[in-house]
mmCIF file of all heavy atoms in Angstrom:
data_model
loop_
_atom_site.group_PDB
_atom_site.id
_atom_site.type_symbol
_atom_site.label_atom_id
_atom_site.label_comp_id
_atom_site.label_asym_id
_atom_site.label_seq_id
_atom_site.Cartn_x
_atom_site.Cartn_y
_atom_site.Cartn_z
ATOM 1 N N ILE A 1 6.178 -7.287 8.056
ATOM 2 C CA ILE A 1 5.538 -7.132 6.749
ATOM 3 C C ILE A 1 4.066 -6.770 6.933
ATOM 4 O O ILE A 1 3.511 -5.997 6.156
ATOM 5 C CB ILE A 1 5.698 -8.405 5.880
ATOM 6 C CG1 ILE A 1 5.127 -8.163 4.482
ATOM 7 C CG2 ILE A 1 5.032 -9.601 6.523
ATOM 8 C CD1 ILE A 1 5.793 -7.052 3.707
ATOM 9 N N LYS A 2 3.435 -7.265 7.982
ATOM 10 C CA LYS A 2 2.044 -6.889 8.242
ATOM 11 C C LYS A 2 1.934 -5.400 8.554
ATOM 12 O O LYS A 2 1.002 -4.735 8.098
ATOM 13 C CB LYS A 2 1.479 -7.721 9.393
ATOM 14 C CG LYS A 2 1.210 -9.180 9.039
ATOM 15 C CD LYS A 2 0.600 -9.926 10.211
ATOM 16 C CE LYS A 2 0.274 -11.361 9.837
ATOM 17 N NZ LYS A 2 -0.332 -12.103 10.985
ATOM 18 N N ASP A 3 2.898 -4.891 9.305
ATOM 19 C CA ASP A 3 2.902 -3.459 9.606
ATOM 20 C C ASP A 3 3.132 -2.641 8.340
ATOM 21 O O ASP A 3 2.518 -1.589 8.145
ATOM 22 C CB ASP A 3 3.980 -3.161 10.647
ATOM 23 C CG ASP A 3 4.014 -1.688 11.033
ATOM 24 O OD1 ASP A 3 3.010 -1.196 11.575
ATOM 25 O OD2 ASP A 3 5.039 -1.035 10.790
ATOM 26 N N THR A 4 4.018 -3.123 7.465
ATOM 27 C CA THR A 4 4.262 -2.444 6.193
ATOM 28 C C THR A 4 2.992 -2.388 5.353
ATOM 29 O O THR A 4 2.669 -1.358 4.741
ATOM 30 C CB THR A 4 5.369 -3.158 5.406
ATOM 31 O OG1 THR A 4 6.589 -3.116 6.152
ATOM 32 C CG2 THR A 4 5.593 -2.517 4.042
ATOM 33 N N ILE A 5 2.256 -3.491 5.328
ATOM 34 C CA ILE A 5 1.004 -3.539 4.556
ATOM 35 C C ILE A 5 -0.010 -2.552 5.128
ATOM 36 O O ILE A 5 -0.683 -1.828 4.383
ATOM 37 C CB ILE A 5 0.443 -4.975 4.569
ATOM 38 C CG1 ILE A 5 1.373 -5.909 3.783
ATOM 39 C CG2 ILE A 5 -0.970 -5.010 3.988
ATOM 40 C CD1 ILE A 5 1.103 -7.373 4.011
ATOM 41 N N ARG A 6 -0.113 -2.496 6.463
ATOM 42 C CA ARG A 6 -1.048 -1.553 7.085
ATOM 43 C C ARG A 6 -0.689 -0.114 6.740
ATOM 44 O O ARG A 6 -1.578 0.716 6.478
ATOM 45 C CB ARG A 6 -1.059 -1.747 8.606
ATOM 46 C CG ARG A 6 -1.887 -2.929 9.077
ATOM 47 C CD ARG A 6 -2.068 -2.885 10.579
ATOM 48 N NE ARG A 6 -0.792 -3.075 11.266
ATOM 49 C CZ ARG A 6 -0.333 -4.250 11.665
ATOM 50 N NH1 ARG A 6 -1.037 -5.358 11.432
ATOM 51 N NH2 ARG A 6 0.829 -4.351 12.298
ATOM 52 N N ARG A 7 0.596 0.203 6.722
ATOM 53 C CA ARG A 7 1.008 1.572 6.409
ATOM 54 C C ARG A 7 0.758 1.914 4.946
ATOM 55 O O ARG A 7 0.428 3.052 4.607
ATOM 56 C CB ARG A 7 2.482 1.767 6.773
ATOM 57 C CG ARG A 7 2.702 1.874 8.280
ATOM 58 C CD ARG A 7 4.118 2.246 8.642
ATOM 59 N NE ARG A 7 5.019 1.103 8.592
ATOM 60 C CZ ARG A 7 5.930 0.895 7.672
ATOM 61 N NH1 ARG A 7 6.085 1.772 6.686
ATOM 62 N NH2 ARG A 7 6.718 -0.162 7.710
ATOM 63 N N ARG A 8 0.926 0.930 4.058
ATOM 64 C CA ARG A 8 0.624 1.172 2.644
ATOM 65 C C ARG A 8 -0.870 1.450 2.443
ATOM 66 O O ARG A 8 -1.248 2.206 1.537
ATOM 67 C CB ARG A 8 1.015 -0.052 1.801
ATOM 68 C CG ARG A 8 2.504 -0.330 1.691
ATOM 69 C CD ARG A 8 3.179 0.602 0.718
ATOM 70 N NE ARG A 8 4.501 0.134 0.342
ATOM 71 C CZ ARG A 8 5.596 0.248 1.079
ATOM 72 N NH1 ARG A 8 5.521 0.827 2.270
ATOM 73 N NH2 ARG A 8 6.775 -0.197 0.657
ATOM 74 N N LEU A 9 -1.711 0.833 3.271
ATOM 75 C CA LEU A 9 -3.163 0.947 3.108
ATOM 76 C C LEU A 9 -3.776 1.728 4.264
ATOM 77 O O LEU A 9 -4.859 1.388 4.752
ATOM 78 C CB LEU A 9 -3.779 -0.459 3.022
ATOM 79 C CG LEU A 9 -3.270 -1.323 1.853
ATOM 80 C CD1 LEU A 9 -3.759 -2.749 1.978
ATOM 81 C CD2 LEU A 9 -3.697 -0.724 0.520
ATOM 82 N N ARG A 10 -3.099 2.750 4.688
ATOM 83 C CA ARG A 10 -3.579 3.538 5.819
ATOM 84 C C ARG A 10 -4.851 4.303 5.439
ATOM 85 O O ARG A 10 -5.046 4.667 4.260
ATOM 86 C CB ARG A 10 -2.509 4.531 6.257
ATOM 87 C CG ARG A 10 -2.209 5.607 5.237
ATOM 88 C CD ARG A 10 -1.029 6.458 5.641
ATOM 89 N NE ARG A 10 -0.808 7.535 4.690
ATOM 90 C CZ ARG A 10 -0.161 7.403 3.549
ATOM 91 N NH1 ARG A 10 0.329 6.220 3.212
ATOM 92 N NH2 ARG A 10 0.002 8.445 2.743
ATOM 93 N N PRO A 11 -5.722 4.559 6.397
ATOM 94 C CA PRO A 11 -6.923 5.355 6.124
ATOM 95 C C PRO A 11 -6.548 6.753 5.616
ATOM 96 O O PRO A 11 -5.587 7.350 6.079
ATOM 97 C CB PRO A 11 -7.609 5.426 7.495
ATOM 98 C CG PRO A 11 -7.100 4.234 8.246
ATOM 99 C CD PRO A 11 -5.686 4.038 7.781
ATOM 100 N N GLY A 12 -7.291 7.223 4.677
ATOM 101 C CA GLY A 12 -7.029 8.550 4.127
ATOM 102 C C GLY A 12 -6.097 8.552 2.933
ATOM 103 O O GLY A 12 -5.864 9.601 2.330
ATOM 104 N N ASN A 13 -5.570 7.402 2.573
ATOM 105 C CA ASN A 13 -4.699 7.325 1.405
ATOM 106 C C ASN A 13 -5.549 7.485 0.144
ATOM 107 O O ASN A 13 -6.373 6.626 -0.185
ATOM 108 C CB ASN A 13 -3.984 5.966 1.396
ATOM 109 C CG ASN A 13 -3.008 5.833 0.233
ATOM 110 O OD1 ASN A 13 -2.926 6.706 -0.631
ATOM 111 N ND2 ASN A 13 -2.269 4.742 0.209
ATOM 112 N N GLN A 14 -5.365 8.591 -0.571
ATOM 113 C CA GLN A 14 -6.157 8.886 -1.764
ATOM 114 C C GLN A 14 -5.400 8.591 -3.065
ATOM 115 O O GLN A 14 -5.836 8.987 -4.145
ATOM 116 C CB GLN A 14 -6.584 10.361 -1.736
ATOM 117 C CG GLN A 14 -7.456 10.727 -0.550
ATOM 118 C CD GLN A 14 -8.745 9.927 -0.507
ATOM 119 O OE1 GLN A 14 -9.372 9.695 -1.539
ATOM 120 N NE2 GLN A 14 -9.137 9.489 0.691
ATOM 121 N N THR A 15 -4.287 7.908 -2.968
ATOM 122 C CA THR A 15 -3.502 7.563 -4.161
ATOM 123 C C THR A 15 -4.323 6.660 -5.082
ATOM 124 O O THR A 15 -5.060 5.801 -4.600
ATOM 125 C CB THR A 15 -2.208 6.847 -3.747
ATOM 126 O OG1 THR A 15 -1.513 7.643 -2.797
ATOM 127 C CG2 THR A 15 -1.309 6.605 -4.948
ATOM 128 N N PRO A 16 -4.229 6.830 -6.398
ATOM 129 C CA PRO A 16 -4.959 5.937 -7.317
ATOM 130 C C PRO A 16 -4.660 4.469 -7.035
ATOM 131 O O PRO A 16 -3.529 4.119 -6.675
ATOM 132 C CB PRO A 16 -4.435 6.363 -8.702
ATOM 133 C CG PRO A 16 -4.016 7.778 -8.527
ATOM 134 C CD PRO A 16 -3.490 7.885 -7.118
ATOM 135 N N TRP A 17 -5.677 3.625 -7.201
ATOM 136 C CA TRP A 17 -5.543 2.224 -6.821
ATOM 137 C C TRP A 17 -4.391 1.531 -7.553
ATOM 138 O O TRP A 17 -3.694 0.699 -6.983
ATOM 139 C CB TRP A 17 -6.840 1.460 -7.081
ATOM 140 C CG TRP A 17 -6.666 -0.013 -6.867
ATOM 141 C CD1 TRP A 17 -6.695 -1.009 -7.781
ATOM 142 C CD2 TRP A 17 -6.369 -0.644 -5.606
ATOM 143 N NE1 TRP A 17 -6.439 -2.219 -7.196
ATOM 144 C CE2 TRP A 17 -6.249 -2.025 -5.862
ATOM 145 C CE3 TRP A 17 -6.206 -0.178 -4.309
ATOM 146 C CZ2 TRP A 17 -5.957 -2.941 -4.853
ATOM 147 C CZ3 TRP A 17 -5.919 -1.092 -3.299
ATOM 148 C CH2 TRP A 17 -5.802 -2.460 -3.576
ATOM 149 N N GLU A 18 -4.149 1.881 -8.804
ATOM 150 C CA GLU A 18 -3.075 1.231 -9.556
ATOM 151 C C GLU A 18 -1.724 1.460 -8.874
ATOM 152 O O GLU A 18 -0.883 0.549 -8.809
ATOM 153 C CB GLU A 18 -3.018 1.761 -10.996
ATOM 154 C CG GLU A 18 -4.221 1.395 -11.868
ATOM 155 C CD GLU A 18 -5.455 2.215 -11.535
ATOM 156 O OE1 GLU A 18 -5.324 3.222 -10.793
ATOM 157 O OE2 GLU A 18 -6.546 1.847 -12.010
ATOM 158 N N VAL A 19 -1.530 2.672 -8.358
ATOM 159 C CA VAL A 19 -0.277 2.989 -7.664
ATOM 160 C C VAL A 19 -0.216 2.283 -6.317
ATOM 161 O O VAL A 19 0.820 1.741 -5.922
ATOM 162 C CB VAL A 19 -0.133 4.517 -7.487
ATOM 163 C CG1 VAL A 19 1.153 4.843 -6.729
ATOM 164 C CG2 VAL A 19 -0.156 5.209 -8.833
ATOM 165 N N VAL A 20 -1.341 2.270 -5.607
ATOM 166 C CA VAL A 20 -1.396 1.578 -4.310
ATOM 167 C C VAL A 20 -1.067 0.104 -4.494
ATOM 168 O O VAL A 20 -0.259 -0.473 -3.757
ATOM 169 C CB VAL A 20 -2.786 1.738 -3.665
ATOM 170 C CG1 VAL A 20 -2.896 0.884 -2.404
ATOM 171 C CG2 VAL A 20 -3.052 3.198 -3.323
ATOM 172 N N ALA A 21 -1.693 -0.541 -5.486
ATOM 173 C CA ALA A 21 -1.465 -1.973 -5.725
ATOM 174 C C ALA A 21 -0.020 -2.241 -6.123
ATOM 175 O O ALA A 21 0.582 -3.227 -5.683
ATOM 176 C CB ALA A 21 -2.418 -2.468 -6.809
ATOM 177 N N ARG A 22 0.561 -1.354 -6.927
ATOM 178 C CA ARG A 22 1.950 -1.544 -7.348
ATOM 179 C C ARG A 22 2.906 -1.471 -6.161
ATOM 180 O O ARG A 22 3.795 -2.321 -6.015
ATOM 181 C CB ARG A 22 2.327 -0.494 -8.388
ATOM 182 C CG ARG A 22 3.718 -0.716 -8.986
ATOM 183 C CD ARG A 22 4.089 0.373 -9.964
ATOM 184 N NE ARG A 22 4.221 1.665 -9.304
ATOM 185 C CZ ARG A 22 3.607 2.776 -9.708
ATOM 186 N NH1 ARG A 22 2.794 2.754 -10.762
ATOM 187 N NH2 ARG A 22 3.792 3.920 -9.057
ATOM 188 N N ASP A 23 2.703 -0.474 -5.284
ATOM 189 C CA ASP A 23 3.568 -0.345 -4.106
ATOM 190 C C ASP A 23 3.372 -1.520 -3.144
ATOM 191 O O ASP A 23 4.337 -2.023 -2.557
ATOM 192 C CB ASP A 23 3.274 0.969 -3.386
ATOM 193 C CG ASP A 23 3.700 2.182 -4.201
ATOM 194 O OD1 ASP A 23 4.473 1.999 -5.161
ATOM 195 O OD2 ASP A 23 3.263 3.303 -3.873
ATOM 196 N N LEU A 24 2.130 -1.932 -2.981
ATOM 197 C CA LEU A 24 1.844 -3.070 -2.111
ATOM 198 C C LEU A 24 2.501 -4.332 -2.648
ATOM 199 O O LEU A 24 3.130 -5.095 -1.901
ATOM 200 C CB LEU A 24 0.330 -3.263 -2.010
ATOM 201 C CG LEU A 24 -0.164 -4.429 -1.147
ATOM 202 C CD1 LEU A 24 0.236 -4.233 0.301
ATOM 203 C CD2 LEU A 24 -1.687 -4.556 -1.265
ATOM 204 N N ASN A 25 2.384 -4.564 -3.956
ATOM 205 C CA ASN A 25 2.970 -5.765 -4.565
ATOM 206 C C ASN A 25 4.492 -5.758 -4.458
ATOM 207 O O ASN A 25 5.107 -6.812 -4.276
ATOM 208 C CB ASN A 25 2.557 -5.861 -6.030
ATOM 209 C CG ASN A 25 1.083 -6.198 -6.194
ATOM 210 O OD1 ASN A 25 0.434 -6.625 -5.231
ATOM 211 N ND2 ASN A 25 0.547 -6.005 -7.384
ATOM 212 N N ARG A 26 5.084 -4.567 -4.569
ATOM 213 C CA ARG A 26 6.535 -4.476 -4.455
ATOM 214 C C ARG A 26 6.981 -4.922 -3.064
ATOM 215 O O ARG A 26 7.963 -5.668 -2.917
ATOM 216 C CB ARG A 26 7.002 -3.057 -4.729
ATOM 217 C CG ARG A 26 8.530 -2.913 -4.737
ATOM 218 C CD ARG A 26 8.956 -1.468 -4.927
ATOM 219 N NE ARG A 26 8.511 -0.947 -6.204
ATOM 220 C CZ ARG A 26 7.675 0.054 -6.359
ATOM 221 N NH1 ARG A 26 7.161 0.660 -5.289
ATOM 222 N NH2 ARG A 26 7.332 0.482 -7.549
ATOM 223 N N ALA A 27 6.262 -4.488 -2.024
ATOM 224 C CA ALA A 27 6.610 -4.874 -0.654
ATOM 225 C C ALA A 27 6.418 -6.365 -0.434
ATOM 226 O O ALA A 27 7.271 -7.042 0.157
ATOM 227 C CB ALA A 27 5.766 -4.069 0.338
ATOM 228 N N VAL A 28 5.300 -6.903 -0.916
ATOM 229 C CA VAL A 28 5.007 -8.332 -0.731
ATOM 230 C C VAL A 28 6.006 -9.184 -1.508
ATOM 231 O O VAL A 28 6.515 -10.192 -1.004
ATOM 232 C CB VAL A 28 3.564 -8.648 -1.179
ATOM 233 C CG1 VAL A 28 3.327 -10.155 -1.212
ATOM 234 C CG2 VAL A 28 2.566 -7.975 -0.246
#
């Protein structure tokens, strides 16, 4: 799960924060 979180928040990810947070929350 730590690796999944790192991949969701990889450097260079320009996705809007609302989408990033939603995908991150889904994984967690």
